[in-house]
PDB file of all heavy atoms in Angstrom:
ATOM      1  N   GLN A1302       1.046   1.874  -1.163  1.00 66.00           N
ATOM      2  CA  GLN A1302       1.874   3.006  -1.317  1.00 66.00           C
ATOM      3  C   GLN A1302       1.145   4.021  -2.050  1.00 66.00           C
ATOM      4  O   GLN A1302       0.502   3.792  -3.010  1.00 66.00           O
ATOM      5  CB  GLN A1302       3.230   2.698  -2.054  1.00 66.00           C
ATOM      6  CG  GLN A1302       4.202   1.943  -1.231  1.00 66.00           C
ATOM      7  CD  GLN A1302       4.617   2.580   0.131  1.00 66.00           C
ATOM      8  OE1 GLN A1302       4.723   3.802   0.244  1.00 66.00           O
ATOM      9  NE2 GLN A1302       4.688   1.791   1.215  1.00 66.00           N
ATOM     10  N   HIS A1303       1.210   5.320  -1.447  1.00 73.00           N
ATOM     11  CA  HIS A1303       0.506   6.423  -2.188  1.00 73.00           C
ATOM     12  C   HIS A1303       1.491   7.292  -2.664  1.00 73.00           C
ATOM     13  O   HIS A1303       2.609   7.523  -2.007  1.00 73.00           O
ATOM     14  CB  HIS A1303      -0.475   7.139  -1.125  1.00 73.00           C
ATOM     15  CG  HIS A1303      -1.612   6.228  -0.733  1.00 73.00           C
ATOM     16  ND1 HIS A1303      -2.692   6.089  -1.457  1.00 73.00           N
ATOM     17  CD2 HIS A1303      -1.764   5.434   0.428  1.00 73.00           C
ATOM     18  CE1 HIS A1303      -3.544   5.240  -0.896  1.00 73.00           C
ATOM     19  NE2 HIS A1303      -3.013   4.941   0.355  1.00 73.00           N
ATOM     20  N   SER A1304       1.288   7.986  -3.776  1.00 72.00           N
ATOM     21  CA  SER A1304       2.307   8.836  -4.454  1.00 72.00           C
ATOM     22  C   SER A1304       2.548  10.083  -3.606  1.00 72.00           C
ATOM     23  O   SER A1304       3.664  10.666  -3.698  1.00 72.00           O
ATOM     24  CB  SER A1304       1.793   9.230  -5.838  1.00 72.00           C
ATOM     25  OG  SER A1304       0.523   9.893  -5.677  1.00 72.00           O
ATOM     26  N   SER A1305       1.601  10.532  -2.747  1.00 79.00           N
ATOM     27  CA  SER A1305       1.923  11.744  -1.939  1.00 79.00           C
ATOM     28  C   SER A1305       1.206  11.570  -0.637  1.00 79.00           C
ATOM     29  O   SER A1305       0.231  10.827  -0.434  1.00 79.00           O
ATOM     30  CB  SER A1305       1.549  12.975  -2.631  1.00 79.00           C
ATOM     31  OG  SER A1305       0.025  12.971  -2.632  1.00 79.00           O
ATOM     32  N   ASP A1306       1.585  12.436   0.377  1.00 79.00           N
ATOM     33  CA  ASP A1306       0.911  12.481   1.662  1.00 79.00           C
ATOM     34  C   ASP A1306      -0.463  12.871   1.551  1.00 79.00           C
ATOM     35  O   ASP A1306      -1.432  12.408   2.301  1.00 79.00           O
ATOM     36  CB  ASP A1306       1.694  13.336   2.723  1.00 79.00           C
ATOM     37  CG  ASP A1306       2.912  12.505   3.215  1.00 79.00           C
ATOM     38  OD1 ASP A1306       3.051  11.399   2.959  1.00 79.00           O
ATOM     39  OD2 ASP A1306       3.643  13.221   4.076  1.00 79.00           O
ATOM     40  N   VAL A1307      -0.785  13.780   0.602  1.00 84.00           N
ATOM     41  CA  VAL A1307      -2.175  14.242   0.449  1.00 84.00           C
ATOM     42  C   VAL A1307      -3.031  13.131   0.028  1.00 84.00           C
ATOM     43  O   VAL A1307      -4.195  12.971   0.491  1.00 84.00           O
ATOM     44  CB  VAL A1307      -2.162  15.367  -0.672  1.00 84.00           C
ATOM     45  CG1 VAL A1307      -3.590  15.673  -1.146  1.00 84.00           C
ATOM     46  CG2 VAL A1307      -1.484  16.569  -0.097  1.00 84.00           C
ATOM     47  N   GLU A1308      -2.526  12.338  -0.990  1.00 84.00           N
ATOM     48  CA  GLU A1308      -3.315  11.173  -1.380  1.00 84.00           C
ATOM     49  C   GLU A1308      -3.495  10.188  -0.236  1.00 84.00           C
ATOM     50  O   GLU A1308      -4.596   9.597  -0.126  1.00 84.00           O
ATOM     51  CB  GLU A1308      -2.564  10.512  -2.551  1.00 84.00           C
ATOM     52  CG  GLU A1308      -3.327   9.620  -3.514  1.00 84.00           C
ATOM     53  CD  GLU A1308      -2.554   8.894  -4.515  1.00 84.00           C
ATOM     54  OE1 GLU A1308      -1.995   9.592  -5.396  1.00 84.00           O
ATOM     55  OE2 GLU A1308      -2.367   7.712  -4.423  1.00 84.00           O
ATOM     56  N   ALA A1309      -2.475   9.894   0.534  1.00 85.00           N
ATOM     57  CA  ALA A1309      -2.613   9.030   1.607  1.00 85.00           C
ATOM     58  C   ALA A1309      -3.577   9.544   2.682  1.00 85.00           C
ATOM     59  O   ALA A1309      -4.378   8.769   3.245  1.00 85.00           O
ATOM     60  CB  ALA A1309      -1.218   8.850   2.258  1.00 85.00           C
ATOM     61  N   ALA A1310      -3.617  10.844   2.824  1.00 85.00           N
ATOM     62  CA  ALA A1310      -4.500  11.470   3.931  1.00 85.00           C
ATOM     63  C   ALA A1310      -5.988  11.317   3.408  1.00 85.00           C
ATOM     64  O   ALA A1310      -6.858  10.921   4.164  1.00 85.00           O
ATOM     65  CB  ALA A1310      -4.207  12.926   4.070  1.00 85.00           C
ATOM     66  N   ASN A1311      -6.177  11.370   2.086  1.00 87.00           N
ATOM     67  CA  ASN A1311      -7.543  11.226   1.520  1.00 87.00           C
ATOM     68  C   ASN A1311      -7.887   9.766   1.738  1.00 87.00           C
ATOM     69  O   ASN A1311      -9.111   9.411   2.065  1.00 87.00           O
ATOM     70  CB  ASN A1311      -7.547  11.606   0.107  1.00 87.00           C
ATOM     71  CG  ASN A1311      -7.389  13.087  -0.129  1.00 87.00           C
ATOM     72  OD1 ASN A1311      -7.613  13.896   0.742  1.00 87.00           O
ATOM     73  ND2 ASN A1311      -6.999  13.499  -1.320  1.00 87.00           N
ATOM     74  N   ALA A1312      -7.015   8.779   1.627  1.00 86.00           N
ATOM     75  CA  ALA A1312      -7.213   7.411   1.692  1.00 86.00           C
ATOM     76  C   ALA A1312      -7.649   7.094   3.181  1.00 86.00           C
ATOM     77  O   ALA A1312      -8.571   6.268   3.417  1.00 86.00           O
ATOM     78  CB  ALA A1312      -5.977   6.539   1.250  1.00 86.00           C
ATOM     79  N   LEU A1313      -6.983   7.786   4.147  1.00 85.00           N
ATOM     80  CA  LEU A1313      -7.235   7.547   5.473  1.00 85.00           C
ATOM     81  C   LEU A1313      -8.597   7.949   5.770  1.00 85.00           C
ATOM     82  O   LEU A1313      -9.453   7.222   6.497  1.00 85.00           O
ATOM     83  CB  LEU A1313      -6.229   8.237   6.442  1.00 85.00           C
ATOM     84  CG  LEU A1313      -6.466   8.122   7.891  1.00 85.00           C
ATOM     85  CD1 LEU A1313      -6.742   6.686   8.479  1.00 85.00           C
ATOM     86  CD2 LEU A1313      -5.250   8.774   8.692  1.00 85.00           C
ATOM     87  N   LYS A1314      -8.999   9.182   5.339  1.00 87.00           N
ATOM     88  CA  LYS A1314     -10.351   9.717   5.582  1.00 87.00           C
ATOM     89  C   LYS A1314     -11.401   8.721   5.078  1.00 87.00           C
ATOM     90  O   LYS A1314     -12.368   8.464   5.724  1.00 87.00           O
ATOM     91  CB  LYS A1314     -10.488  11.147   4.893  1.00 87.00           C
ATOM     92  CG  LYS A1314     -11.748  11.785   5.198  1.00 87.00           C
ATOM     93  CD  LYS A1314     -12.049  12.923   4.322  1.00 87.00           C
ATOM     94  CE  LYS A1314     -13.566  13.433   4.548  1.00 87.00           C
ATOM     95  NZ  LYS A1314     -13.970  14.365   3.514  1.00 87.00           N
ATOM     96  N   GLN A1315     -11.148   8.227   3.792  1.00 88.00           N
ATOM     97  CA  GLN A1315     -12.098   7.415   3.187  1.00 88.00           C
ATOM     98  C   GLN A1315     -12.298   6.046   3.987  1.00 88.00           C
ATOM     99  O   GLN A1315     -13.265   5.562   4.209  1.00 88.00           O
ATOM    100  CB  GLN A1315     -11.671   7.096   1.789  1.00 88.00           C
ATOM    101  CG  GLN A1315     -12.777   6.502   0.907  1.00 88.00           C
ATOM    102  CD  GLN A1315     -12.209   6.101  -0.523  1.00 88.00           C
ATOM    103  OE1 GLN A1315     -11.102   6.536  -0.909  1.00 88.00           O
ATOM    104  NE2 GLN A1315     -12.968   5.362  -1.305  1.00 88.00           N
ATOM    105  N   ALA A1316     -11.103   5.599   4.398  1.00 88.00           N
ATOM    106  CA  ALA A1316     -11.118   4.290   5.210  1.00 88.00           C
ATOM    107  C   ALA A1316     -11.794   4.461   6.572  1.00 88.00           C
ATOM    108  O   ALA A1316     -12.643   3.650   6.952  1.00 88.00           O
ATOM    109  CB  ALA A1316      -9.671   3.834   5.522  1.00 88.00           C
ATOM    110  N   TYR A1317     -11.601   5.578   7.145  1.00 89.00           N
ATOM    111  CA  TYR A1317     -12.270   6.038   8.413  1.00 89.00           C
ATOM    112  C   TYR A1317     -13.758   5.993   8.238  1.00 89.00           C
ATOM    113  O   TYR A1317     -14.516   5.448   9.067  1.00 89.00           O
ATOM    114  CB  TYR A1317     -11.838   7.335   8.843  1.00 89.00           C
ATOM    115  CG  TYR A1317     -12.620   7.970  10.071  1.00 89.00           C
ATOM    116  CD1 TYR A1317     -12.411   7.354  11.312  1.00 89.00           C
ATOM    117  CD2 TYR A1317     -13.422   9.046   9.870  1.00 89.00           C
ATOM    118  CE1 TYR A1317     -13.095   7.890  12.447  1.00 89.00           C
ATOM    119  CE2 TYR A1317     -14.054   9.641  11.028  1.00 89.00           C
ATOM    120  CZ  TYR A1317     -13.932   8.998  12.271  1.00 89.00           C
ATOM    121  OH  TYR A1317     -14.549   9.546  13.329  1.00 89.00           O
ATOM    122  N   GLN A1318     -14.313   6.577   7.168  1.00 89.00           N
ATOM    123  CA  GLN A1318     -15.714   6.598   6.879  1.00 89.00           C
ATOM    124  C   GLN A1318     -16.307   5.212   6.692  1.00 89.00           C
ATOM    125  O   GLN A1318     -17.335   4.911   7.095  1.00 89.00           O
ATOM    126  CB  GLN A1318     -16.013   7.445   5.702  1.00 89.00           C
ATOM    127  CG  GLN A1318     -15.890   8.992   6.071  1.00 89.00           C
ATOM    128  CD  GLN A1318     -15.896   9.896   4.911  1.00 89.00           C
ATOM    129  OE1 GLN A1318     -15.608   9.461   3.643  1.00 89.00           O
ATOM    130  NE2 GLN A1318     -16.086  11.202   5.051  1.00 89.00           N
ATOM    131  N   GLN A1319     -15.527   4.378   5.978  1.00 89.00           N
ATOM    132  CA  GLN A1319     -15.981   2.928   5.857  1.00 89.00           C
ATOM    133  C   GLN A1319     -16.004   2.217   7.149  1.00 89.00           C
ATOM    134  O   GLN A1319     -16.873   1.408   7.399  1.00 89.00           O
ATOM    135  CB  GLN A1319     -15.046   2.226   4.798  1.00 89.00           C
ATOM    136  CG  GLN A1319     -15.099   2.753   3.395  1.00 89.00           C
ATOM    137  CD  GLN A1319     -13.992   2.250   2.549  1.00 89.00           C
ATOM    138  OE1 GLN A1319     -12.819   2.097   2.843  1.00 89.00           O
ATOM    139  NE2 GLN A1319     -14.480   1.651   1.304  1.00 89.00           N
ATOM    140  N   ILE A1320     -14.915   2.423   7.880  1.00 89.00           N
ATOM    141  CA  ILE A1320     -14.879   1.705   9.244  1.00 89.00           C
ATOM    142  C   ILE A1320     -16.127   2.157  10.132  1.00 89.00           C
ATOM    143  O   ILE A1320     -16.741   1.285  10.707  1.00 89.00           O
ATOM    144  CB  ILE A1320     -13.468   2.139   9.958  1.00 89.00           C
ATOM    145  CG1 ILE A1320     -12.374   1.480   9.241  1.00 89.00           C
ATOM    146  CG2 ILE A1320     -13.600   1.561  11.324  1.00 89.00           C
ATOM    147  CD1 ILE A1320     -11.036   1.993   9.637  1.00 89.00           C
ATOM    148  N   ARG A1321     -16.384   3.521  10.031  1.00 89.00           N
ATOM    149  CA  ARG A1321     -17.468   3.937  10.826  1.00 89.00           C
ATOM    150  C   ARG A1321     -18.777   3.270  10.415  1.00 89.00           C
ATOM    151  O   ARG A1321     -19.653   2.843  11.256  1.00 89.00           O
ATOM    152  CB  ARG A1321     -17.711   5.433  10.717  1.00 89.00           C
ATOM    153  CG  ARG A1321     -16.619   6.347  11.342  1.00 89.00           C
ATOM    154  CD  ARG A1321     -16.695   6.259  12.918  1.00 89.00           C
ATOM    155  NE  ARG A1321     -17.862   6.850  13.392  1.00 89.00           N
ATOM    156  CZ  ARG A1321     -17.937   8.034  14.015  1.00 89.00           C
ATOM    157  NH1 ARG A1321     -16.938   8.804  14.087  1.00 89.00           N
ATOM    158  NH2 ARG A1321     -19.141   8.520  14.466  1.00 89.00           N
ATOM    159  N   ALA A1322     -18.949   3.131   9.121  1.00 89.00           N
ATOM    160  CA  ALA A1322     -20.175   2.463   8.531  1.00 89.00           C
ATOM    161  C   ALA A1322     -20.364   1.075   8.970  1.00 89.00           C
ATOM    162  O   ALA A1322     -21.370   0.539   9.294  1.00 89.00           O
ATOM    163  CB  ALA A1322     -20.159   2.647   7.000  1.00 89.00           C
ATOM    164  N   GLU A1323     -19.155   0.304   8.927  1.00 88.00           N
ATOM    165  CA  GLU A1323     -19.223  -1.059   9.310  1.00 88.00           C
ATOM    166  C   GLU A1323     -19.520  -1.157  10.781  1.00 88.00           C
ATOM    167  O   GLU A1323     -20.255  -2.122  11.209  1.00 88.00           O
ATOM    168  CB  GLU A1323     -17.835  -1.696   9.032  1.00 88.00           C
ATOM    169  CG  GLU A1323     -17.540  -1.901   7.469  1.00 88.00           C
ATOM    170  CD  GLU A1323     -18.475  -2.839   6.844  1.00 88.00           C
ATOM    171  OE1 GLU A1323     -19.005  -3.784   7.300  1.00 88.00           O
ATOM    172  OE2 GLU A1323     -18.865  -2.495   5.654  1.00 88.00           O
ATOM    173  N   ILE A1324     -18.899  -0.446  11.677  1.00 88.00           N
ATOM    174  CA  ILE A1324     -19.161  -0.532  13.028  1.00 88.00           C
ATOM    175  C   ILE A1324     -20.590  -0.110  13.362  1.00 88.00           C
ATOM    176  O   ILE A1324     -21.178  -0.779  14.309  1.00 88.00           O
ATOM    177  CB  ILE A1324     -18.178   0.469  13.817  1.00 88.00           C
ATOM    178  CG1 ILE A1324     -16.688  -0.006  13.695  1.00 88.00           C
ATOM    179  CG2 ILE A1324     -18.551   0.499  15.363  1.00 88.00           C
ATOM    180  CD1 ILE A1324     -15.712   0.888  14.206  1.00 88.00           C
ATOM    181  N   GLY A1325     -21.102   0.794  12.546  1.00 85.00           N
ATOM    182  CA  GLY A1325     -22.490   1.199  12.782  1.00 85.00           C
ATOM    183  C   GLY A1325     -23.530   0.062  12.550  1.00 85.00           C
ATOM    184  O   GLY A1325     -24.642   0.115  13.020  1.00 85.00           O
ATOM    185  N   LYS A1326     -23.158  -0.906  11.813  1.00 84.00           N
ATOM    186  CA  LYS A1326     -24.002  -2.098  11.595  1.00 84.00           C
ATOM    187  C   LYS A1326     -24.300  -2.834  12.934  1.00 84.00           C
ATOM    188  O   LYS A1326     -25.256  -3.534  13.221  1.00 84.00           O
ATOM    189  CB  LYS A1326     -23.358  -3.116  10.644  1.00 84.00           C
ATOM    190  CG  LYS A1326     -23.246  -2.683   9.192  1.00 84.00           C
ATOM    191  CD  LYS A1326     -22.597  -3.767   8.397  1.00 84.00           C
ATOM    192  CE  LYS A1326     -22.343  -3.411   6.897  1.00 84.00           C
ATOM    193  NZ  LYS A1326     -21.541  -4.503   6.285  1.00 84.00           N
ATOM    194  N   VAL A1327     -23.260  -2.745  13.820  1.00 84.00           N
ATOM    195  CA  VAL A1327     -23.318  -3.566  15.095  1.00 84.00           C
ATOM    196  C   VAL A1327     -23.681  -2.729  16.286  1.00 84.00           C
ATOM    197  O   VAL A1327     -24.483  -2.966  17.061  1.00 84.00           O
ATOM    198  CB  VAL A1327     -22.063  -4.326  15.373  1.00 84.00           C
ATOM    199  CG1 VAL A1327     -22.130  -5.187  16.628  1.00 84.00           C
ATOM    200  CG2 VAL A1327     -21.738  -5.153  14.174  1.00 84.00           C
ATOM    201  N   ILE A1328     -22.979  -1.555  16.241  1.00 84.00           N
ATOM    202  CA  ILE A1328     -23.080  -0.595  17.506  1.00 84.00           C
ATOM    203  C   ILE A1328     -24.004   0.573  17.105  1.00 84.00           C
ATOM    204  O   ILE A1328     -23.819   1.233  16.116  1.00 84.00           O
ATOM    205  CB  ILE A1328     -21.653  -0.058  17.846  1.00 84.00           C
ATOM    206  CG1 ILE A1328     -20.699  -1.117  18.106  1.00 84.00           C
ATOM    207  CG2 ILE A1328     -21.836   0.896  19.037  1.00 84.00           C
ATOM    208  CD1 ILE A1328     -20.872  -1.880  19.415  1.00 84.00           C
ATOM    209  N   VAL A1329     -25.058   0.734  17.923  1.00 82.00           N
ATOM    210  CA  VAL A1329     -25.923   1.766  17.707  1.00 82.00           C
ATOM    211  C   VAL A1329     -25.581   3.121  18.557  1.00 82.00           C
ATOM    212  O   VAL A1329     -25.346   2.975  19.730  1.00 82.00           O
ATOM    213  CB  VAL A1329     -27.354   1.379  18.148  1.00 82.00           C
ATOM    214  CG1 VAL A1329     -28.415   2.418  17.993  1.00 82.00           C
ATOM    215  CG2 VAL A1329     -27.825   0.089  17.312  1.00 82.00           C
ATOM    216  N   GLY A1330     -25.431   4.196  17.810  1.00 79.00           N
ATOM    217  CA  GLY A1330     -25.022   5.390  18.448  1.00 79.00           C
ATOM    218  C   GLY A1330     -23.561   5.387  18.888  1.00 79.00           C
ATOM    219  O   GLY A1330     -22.835   4.810  18.159  1.00 79.00           O
ATOM    220  N   GLN A1331     -23.304   5.913  20.118  1.00 81.00           N
ATOM    221  CA  GLN A1331     -21.865   6.010  20.714  1.00 81.00           C
ATOM    222  C   GLN A1331     -20.914   6.595  19.661  1.00 81.00           C
ATOM    223  O   GLN A1331     -19.668   6.194  19.561  1.00 81.00           O
ATOM    224  CB  GLN A1331     -21.378   4.601  21.065  1.00 81.00           C
ATOM    225  CG  GLN A1331     -22.287   3.845  22.054  1.00 81.00           C
ATOM    226  CD  GLN A1331     -22.211   4.447  23.444  1.00 81.00           C
ATOM    227  OE1 GLN A1331     -21.805   5.549  23.609  1.00 81.00           O
ATOM    228  NE2 GLN A1331     -22.726   3.767  24.448  1.00 81.00           N
TER     229      GLN A1331
END
Side-chain angles (χ1 to χ4, degrees):
Q1302 286 305 321
H1303 294 282
S1304 56
S1305 67
D1306 278 358
V1307 169
E1308 201 183 293
N1311 293 339
L1313 175 53
K1314 183 194 172 193
Q1315 198 184 345
Y1317 170 69
Q1318 286 165 342
Q1319 291 173 311
I1320 292 167
R1321 290 292 294 257
E1323 290 299 320
I1324 294 173
K1326 291 178 183 175
V1327 180
I1328 304 287
V1329 176
Q1331 304 288 16

